[in-house]
């Protein structure tokens, strides 16, 4: 049994009606007896031979037995035409097949091994799934099949997926059974049976047969059923020890996997880890002798080896041995790690600060001087000096040490701003952070920016860019705020922008205040000016995850503008309102758009569609 080499479409349940029809061809009832038509292939009349050839071709697979017999005919004309029809029907070339596909198949049959991969790629562009699978399945040279495997990756599953979307589960199964019988492929077909409720029946059949192929098929079925113990035994019978070990591990016994030190595991660090982990699992004591090879590997010149050793020690719970290496190899990562778990002294120590009496001033001064040096990249990699400074500023700000942060950063950055305003602006941008990161110190950045900008309108524009980006959205809001509140100062407007873009905290609920003013402006604006203002609000609230205001904006957008909203955001709009019918239609529309472009929708799209359809009580459609 031949099956595809990749997992079948995830997230889609399909109809349990499994038809035995071919994926693309529906054989038609013959107008004349096939034996008569076969006889006509050798008729003296060219027109009669052509008509009989066409009628047999239209019969499709039902004519194959008669054609196989006629291929051995003593009549050269009948034999030649029968063999040609056999080849076409077996390759699923029908009278309706795109002539360019037929031409590619003909070229492939005569091509050299080096040309075949390119031809398969061209067939892929034509979505000639059946022809590709048939041609690949007919290759007997193992080396050539391996070379062509990349061209065939995912072909059977794409073909099967298209059949499933059309409700043709029988056609989907036919495609699955055409592809190479690999471990993943067998599991894909087993999942197909599980979805259709035929898994137990297939298991009975598999158990009734013996042999490696049957054992591999039984393994796939047991895995699909979720019976880990049975799957482990089937893996042993199929000669697949690694899968047997993994099944045991999933069932709660990692020892077989940990003890496997055969040639398939060529990572010495992994082997060292596994040996110690196995002893730990058995409750046996682990001493310094067992750990010594890992601790020695921490100082290896090869960064990958030392990093693997450090990770292994962390996994084994030997933090005391791993942490010094972590601090040395990645001070910034160590600082963030220790701070996250509230080991503040260790965090400071990883930055070279004395926890009892940290000299922040010298530390910040040294690194700012480093950062201002034109050659801040050392010989071993990119400097993390800027990130370290921002991390410390963030550390101080989140602990309410605002004045201390100002004393450390204020004066040096002011001096830098006068000397190198562009470099200063870049660092200020990092210091502001953003709504998706906890790394910034926006209060400190704001204070520094205000001091620098003063009454200089151009500099105010620079700090707006530093905080919010150099784009139409941020500049548009900065220019709109004076219209919303003419009495607001630059400082108040900037604070409003921080709140609107959700940078930093908003204890004064400024975001609501400014959004209320924005909605009031929409209501007061002439009708022809409202869409532009609503679109501006929509863009901001969508970007910042404000579902309530996103929906409010959506309802006020003209229909033409709604279509321009990213489809994923429309799904969020509808699902937030629990309008699952509308959400499902948007997702299905996106799937249709992708298919119309002759591309393959991701499996997750089908899963989203099925989930929305089920929430909308459209179970039958979800199953398709």
């Amino acid at each position: 049994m031949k099956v595809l080499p990749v997992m079948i479409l995830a997230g889609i349940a399909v109809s349990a009606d499994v038809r035995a029809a071919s994926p693309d061809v529906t054989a038609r009832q013959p107008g004349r007896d096939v034996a008569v038509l076969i006889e006509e292939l050798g008729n003296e009349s060219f027109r009669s031979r052509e008509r009989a050839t066409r009628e047999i071709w239209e019969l499709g697979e039902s004519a194959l037995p008669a054609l196989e017999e006629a291929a051995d005919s003593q009549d050269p004309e009948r034999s030649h035409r029968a063999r040609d029809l056999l080849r076409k029907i077996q390759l699923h070339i029908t009278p309706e097949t795109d002539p360019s596909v037929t031409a590619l198949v003909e070229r492939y049959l005569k091509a050299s091994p080096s040309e075949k991969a390119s031809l398969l790629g061209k067939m892929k562009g034509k979505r000639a799934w059946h022809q590709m699978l048939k041609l690949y399945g007919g290759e007997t040279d193992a080396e050539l099949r391996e070379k062509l495997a990349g061209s065939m990756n995912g072909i059977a599953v794409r073909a099967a997926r298209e059949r499933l979307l059309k409700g043709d589960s029988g056609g989907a199964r036919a495609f699955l059974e055409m592809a190479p019988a690999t471990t993943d492929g067998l599991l894909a077909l087993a999942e197909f049976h599980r979805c259709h409720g035929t898994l137990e029946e297939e298991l009975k059949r598999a158990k009734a047969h013996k042999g490696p192929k049957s054992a591999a098929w039984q393994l796939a079925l047991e895995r699909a059923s979720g019976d880990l113990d049975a799957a482990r035994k089937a893996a042993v019978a199929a000669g697949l020890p690694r899968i047997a070990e993994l099944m045991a591990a999933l069932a709660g016994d990692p020892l077989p996997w940990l003890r496997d030190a055969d040639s398939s595991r060529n990572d010495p660090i992994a082997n060292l880890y596994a040996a110690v982990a196995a002893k730990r699992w058995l409750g046996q004591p682990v001493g310094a002798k067992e750990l010594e090879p890992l601790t020695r590997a921490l100082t290896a010149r090869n960064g990958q080896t030392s990093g693997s050793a450090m990770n292994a020690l962390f996994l084994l719970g030997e933090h005391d041995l791993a942490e010094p290496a972590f601090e040395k190899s990645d001070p910034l990562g160590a600082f963030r790690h220790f701070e996250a778990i509230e080991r503040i002294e260790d965090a400071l120590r990883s930055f070279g600060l004395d926890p009892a009496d940290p000299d922040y001033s010298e530390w910040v001064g040294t690194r700012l001087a480093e950062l201002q040096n034109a050659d801040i990249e050392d010989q071993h990699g990119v400097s993390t000096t800027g990130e370290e400074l921002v991390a410390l500023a963030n550390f101080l700000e989140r602990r309410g040490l605002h004045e201390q942060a100002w004393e450390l950063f204020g004066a040096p950055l002011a001096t830098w701003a006068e000397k190198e305003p562009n470099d200063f602006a870049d660092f200020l941008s990092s210091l502001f952070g953003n709504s998706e990161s906890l790394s910034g110190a926006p209060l400190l950045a704001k204070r520094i920016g205000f001091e620098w900008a003063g009454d200089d309108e151009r500099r105010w524009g620079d700090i707006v860019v530093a905080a919010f980006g150099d784009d139409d959205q941020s500049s548009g809001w900065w220019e709109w705020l004076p219209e919303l509140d003419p009495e607001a100062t630059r400082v108040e407007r900037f604070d409003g922008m921080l709140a609107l873009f959700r940078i930093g905290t908003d204890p004064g609920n400024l975001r609501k205040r400014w959004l209320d003013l924005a909605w009031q402006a929409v209501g007061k604006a002439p009708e022809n000016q409202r869409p532009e203002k609503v679109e501006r609000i929509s863009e901001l609230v969508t970007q910042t995850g404000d579902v309530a205001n996103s929906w409010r904006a959506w309802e006020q957008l003209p229909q033409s503008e709604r279509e321009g909203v990213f489809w994923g955001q429309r799904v969020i709009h509808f699902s937030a309102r629990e309008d699952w019918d509308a959400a499902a239609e948007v997702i299905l529309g996106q799937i249709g758009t992708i298919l119309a472009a002759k591309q393959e929708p991701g499996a997750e799209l089908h899963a989203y569609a099925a989930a929305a359809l089920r929430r909308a009580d459209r179970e039958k459609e979800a199953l398709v």
Side-chain angles (χ1 to χ4, degrees), residues 369-392:
E370 233 180 85
L371 193 61
Q372 293 173 46
N373 189 323
D375 186 19
I376 62 170
E377 292 193 10
D378 59 30
Q379 299 300 312
H380 305 288
V382 179
S383 169
T384 60
T385 301
E387 292 180 84
E388 291 177 9
L389 284 163
V390 172
L392 183 69

mmCIF file of all heavy atoms in Angstrom, residues 369-392:
data_model
loop_
_atom_site.group_PDB
_atom_site.id
_atom_site.type_symbol
_atom_site.label_atom_id
_atom_site.label_comp_id
_atom_site.label_asym_id
_atom_site.label_seq_id
_atom_site.Cartn_x
_atom_site.Cartn_y
_atom_site.Cartn_z
ATOM 1 N N ALA A 369 30.287 55.570 27.443
ATOM 2 C CA ALA A 369 31.499 55.930 26.703
ATOM 3 C C ALA A 369 31.775 54.901 25.621
ATOM 4 O O ALA A 369 32.171 55.234 24.488
ATOM 5 C CB ALA A 369 32.672 56.034 27.666
ATOM 6 N N GLU A 370 31.566 53.627 25.950
ATOM 7 C CA GLU A 370 31.741 52.534 24.987
ATOM 8 C C GLU A 370 30.785 52.707 23.818
ATOM 9 O O GLU A 370 31.145 52.553 22.645
ATOM 10 C CB GLU A 370 31.422 51.198 25.697
ATOM 11 C CG GLU A 370 32.501 50.144 25.594
ATOM 12 C CD GLU A 370 32.084 48.890 26.319
ATOM 13 O OE1 GLU A 370 31.384 48.059 25.706
ATOM 14 O OE2 GLU A 370 32.414 48.758 27.502
ATOM 15 N N LEU A 371 29.537 53.026 24.178
ATOM 16 C CA LEU A 371 28.489 53.133 23.166
ATOM 17 C C LEU A 371 28.751 54.295 22.215
ATOM 18 O O LEU A 371 28.426 54.226 21.032
ATOM 19 C CB LEU A 371 27.132 53.321 23.858
ATOM 20 C CG LEU A 371 25.885 53.153 22.993
ATOM 21 C CD1 LEU A 371 25.822 51.741 22.428
ATOM 22 C CD2 LEU A 371 24.631 53.445 23.807
ATOM 23 N N GLN A 372 29.349 55.361 22.750
ATOM 24 C CA GLN A 372 29.603 56.544 21.931
ATOM 25 C C GLN A 372 30.848 56.390 21.064
ATOM 26 O O GLN A 372 31.074 57.199 20.156
ATOM 27 C CB GLN A 372 29.749 57.772 22.833
ATOM 28 C CG GLN A 372 28.441 58.143 23.530
ATOM 29 C CD GLN A 372 28.624 59.245 24.554
ATOM 30 O OE1 GLN A 372 29.270 60.244 24.285
ATOM 31 N NE2 GLN A 372 28.067 59.043 25.740
ATOM 32 N N ASN A 373 31.637 55.353 21.365
ATOM 33 C CA ASN A 373 32.807 55.083 20.543
ATOM 34 C C ASN A 373 32.338 54.607 19.167
ATOM 35 O O ASN A 373 31.480 53.754 19.040
ATOM 36 C CB ASN A 373 33.659 53.999 21.212
ATOM 37 C CG ASN A 373 34.999 53.819 20.528
ATOM 38 O OD1 ASN A 373 35.099 53.906 19.302
ATOM 39 N ND2 ASN A 373 36.032 53.573 21.311
ATOM 40 N N ALA A 374 32.921 55.157 18.142
ATOM 41 C CA ALA A 374 32.472 54.809 16.788
ATOM 42 C C ALA A 374 32.663 53.340 16.486
ATOM 43 O O ALA A 374 31.928 52.741 15.707
ATOM 44 C CB ALA A 374 33.230 55.654 15.766
ATOM 45 N N ASP A 375 33.649 52.694 17.115
ATOM 46 C CA ASP A 375 33.956 51.285 16.846
ATOM 47 C C ASP A 375 33.473 50.453 18.024
ATOM 48 O O ASP A 375 34.246 49.947 18.817
ATOM 49 C CB ASP A 375 35.451 51.097 16.648
ATOM 50 C CG ASP A 375 35.795 49.671 16.217
ATOM 51 O OD1 ASP A 375 34.873 48.981 15.738
ATOM 52 O OD2 ASP A 375 36.953 49.283 16.367
ATOM 53 N N ILE A 376 32.120 50.295 18.143
ATOM 54 C CA ILE A 376 31.567 49.597 19.308
ATOM 55 C C ILE A 376 31.470 48.091 19.093
ATOM 56 O O ILE A 376 31.035 47.372 19.976
ATOM 57 C CB ILE A 376 30.180 50.143 19.678
ATOM 58 C CG1 ILE A 376 29.188 49.911 18.526
ATOM 59 C CG2 ILE A 376 30.243 51.597 20.063
ATOM 60 C CD1 ILE A 376 27.758 50.212 18.902
ATOM 61 N N GLU A 377 31.863 47.602 17.912
ATOM 62 C CA GLU A 377 31.845 46.162 17.680
ATOM 63 C C GLU A 377 33.236 45.603 17.938
ATOM 64 O O GLU A 377 34.213 46.057 17.370
ATOM 65 C CB GLU A 377 31.403 45.846 16.255
ATOM 66 C CG GLU A 377 29.936 46.195 16.012
ATOM 67 C CD GLU A 377 29.422 45.587 14.719
ATOM 68 O OE1 GLU A 377 30.160 44.757 14.143
ATOM 69 O OE2 GLU A 377 28.313 45.918 14.313
ATOM 70 N N ASP A 378 33.303 44.630 18.840
ATOM 71 C CA ASP A 378 34.606 44.039 19.133
ATOM 72 C C ASP A 378 34.964 42.998 18.079
ATOM 73 O O ASP A 378 34.278 42.838 17.076
ATOM 74 C CB ASP A 378 34.615 43.445 20.547
ATOM 75 C CG ASP A 378 33.545 42.367 20.720
ATOM 76 O OD1 ASP A 378 33.229 41.699 19.712
ATOM 77 O OD2 ASP A 378 33.041 42.190 21.842
ATOM 78 N N GLN A 379 36.036 42.281 18.331
ATOM 79 C CA GLN A 379 36.515 41.314 17.358
ATOM 80 C C GLN A 379 35.768 39.989 17.409
ATOM 81 O O GLN A 379 35.996 39.131 16.599
ATOM 82 C CB GLN A 379 38.013 41.055 17.595
ATOM 83 C CG GLN A 379 38.874 42.306 17.440
ATOM 84 C CD GLN A 379 38.762 42.920 16.051
ATOM 85 O OE1 GLN A 379 38.870 42.200 15.064
ATOM 86 N NE2 GLN A 379 38.538 44.219 15.971
ATOM 87 N N HIS A 380 34.872 39.821 18.370
ATOM 88 C CA HIS A 380 34.226 38.517 18.556
ATOM 89 C C HIS A 380 32.733 38.544 18.297
ATOM 90 O O HIS A 380 32.073 37.535 18.396
ATOM 91 C CB HIS A 380 34.480 38.018 19.991
ATOM 92 C CG HIS A 380 35.930 37.974 20.347
ATOM 93 N ND1 HIS A 380 36.789 37.045 19.821
ATOM 94 C CD2 HIS A 380 36.677 38.760 21.167
ATOM 95 C CE1 HIS A 380 38.014 37.240 20.299
ATOM 96 N NE2 HIS A 380 37.970 38.280 21.109
ATOM 97 N N GLY A 381 32.189 39.690 17.983
ATOM 98 C CA GLY A 381 30.764 39.737 17.729
ATOM 99 C C GLY A 381 30.221 41.132 17.973
ATOM 100 O O GLY A 381 30.943 42.069 18.279
ATOM 101 N N VAL A 382 28.904 41.264 17.835
ATOM 102 C CA VAL A 382 28.248 42.550 17.997
ATOM 103 C C VAL A 382 28.123 42.888 19.475
ATOM 104 O O VAL A 382 27.747 42.055 20.299
ATOM 105 C CB VAL A 382 26.862 42.526 17.333
ATOM 106 C CG1 VAL A 382 26.145 43.857 17.520
ATOM 107 C CG2 VAL A 382 26.999 42.206 15.836
ATOM 108 N N SER A 383 28.406 44.143 19.819
ATOM 109 C CA SER A 383 28.322 44.597 21.212
ATOM 110 C C SER A 383 26.879 44.603 21.691
ATOM 111 O O SER A 383 25.957 44.940 20.945
ATOM 112 C CB SER A 383 28.917 46.002 21.330
ATOM 113 O OG SER A 383 28.622 46.557 22.598
ATOM 114 N N THR A 384 26.693 44.249 22.970
ATOM 115 C CA THR A 384 25.365 44.324 23.604
ATOM 116 C C THR A 384 25.311 45.490 24.585
ATOM 117 O O THR A 384 24.424 45.542 25.431
ATOM 118 C CB THR A 384 25.054 43.009 24.351
ATOM 119 O OG1 THR A 384 26.056 42.793 25.368
ATOM 120 C CG2 THR A 384 25.023 41.835 23.409
ATOM 121 N N THR A 385 26.239 46.422 24.462
ATOM 122 C CA THR A 385 26.334 47.528 25.408
ATOM 123 C C THR A 385 25.028 48.311 25.499
ATOM 124 O O THR A 385 24.549 48.626 26.591
ATOM 125 C CB THR A 385 27.481 48.478 25.002
ATOM 126 O OG1 THR A 385 28.700 47.744 24.976
ATOM 127 C CG2 THR A 385 27.609 49.623 25.988
ATOM 128 N N GLY A 386 24.448 48.657 24.351
ATOM 129 C CA GLY A 386 23.199 49.423 24.352
ATOM 130 C C GLY A 386 22.082 48.673 25.052
ATOM 131 O O GLY A 386 21.317 49.252 25.848
ATOM 132 N N GLU A 387 21.963 47.379 24.769
ATOM 133 C CA GLU A 387 20.914 46.567 25.397
ATOM 134 C C GLU A 387 21.129 46.470 26.907
ATOM 135 O O GLU A 387 20.168 46.470 27.687
ATOM 136 C CB GLU A 387 20.900 45.173 24.778
ATOM 137 C CG GLU A 387 20.440 45.121 23.334
ATOM 138 C CD GLU A 387 20.450 43.703 22.811
ATOM 139 O OE1 GLU A 387 19.466 42.977 23.034
ATOM 140 O OE2 GLU A 387 21.478 43.323 22.203
ATOM 141 N N GLU A 388 22.382 46.381 27.322
ATOM 142 C CA GLU A 388 22.675 46.301 28.758
ATOM 143 C C GLU A 388 22.272 47.605 29.466
ATOM 144 O O GLU A 388 21.698 47.582 30.558
ATOM 145 C CB GLU A 388 24.158 46.013 28.970
ATOM 146 C CG GLU A 388 24.571 44.612 28.542
ATOM 147 C CD GLU A 388 26.061 44.362 28.683
ATOM 148 O OE1 GLU A 388 26.749 45.226 29.281
ATOM 149 O OE2 GLU A 388 26.544 43.324 28.195
ATOM 150 N N LEU A 389 22.550 48.747 28.841
ATOM 151 C CA LEU A 389 22.167 50.026 29.426
ATOM 152 C C LEU A 389 20.651 50.144 29.551
ATOM 153 O O LEU A 389 20.134 50.587 30.575
ATOM 154 C CB LEU A 389 22.717 51.173 28.568
ATOM 155 C CG LEU A 389 24.216 51.462 28.722
ATOM 156 C CD1 LEU A 389 24.721 52.292 27.559
ATOM 157 C CD2 LEU A 389 24.492 52.165 30.056
ATOM 158 N N VAL A 390 19.936 49.728 28.504
ATOM 159 C CA VAL A 390 18.467 49.782 28.541
ATOM 160 C C VAL A 390 17.929 48.820 29.599
ATOM 161 O O VAL A 390 16.977 49.136 30.317
ATOM 162 C CB VAL A 390 17.882 49.455 27.153
ATOM 163 C CG1 VAL A 390 16.371 49.308 27.218
ATOM 164 C CG2 VAL A 390 18.261 50.538 26.153
ATOM 165 N N ALA A 391 18.558 47.645 29.718
ATOM 166 C CA ALA A 391 18.113 46.669 30.721
ATOM 167 C C ALA A 391 18.266 47.226 32.135
ATOM 168 O O ALA A 391 17.389 47.045 32.984
ATOM 169 C CB ALA A 391 18.894 45.369 30.573
ATOM 170 N N LEU A 392 19.369 47.913 32.408
ATOM 171 C CA LEU A 392 19.563 48.487 33.738
ATOM 172 C C LEU A 392 18.575 49.629 33.981
ATOM 173 O O LEU A 392 18.014 49.760 35.078
ATOM 174 C CB LEU A 392 21.000 48.995 33.908
ATOM 175 C CG LEU A 392 21.291 49.540 35.311
ATOM 176 C CD1 LEU A 392 21.294 48.402 36.335
ATOM 177 C CD2 LEU A 392 22.613 50.295 35.359
#
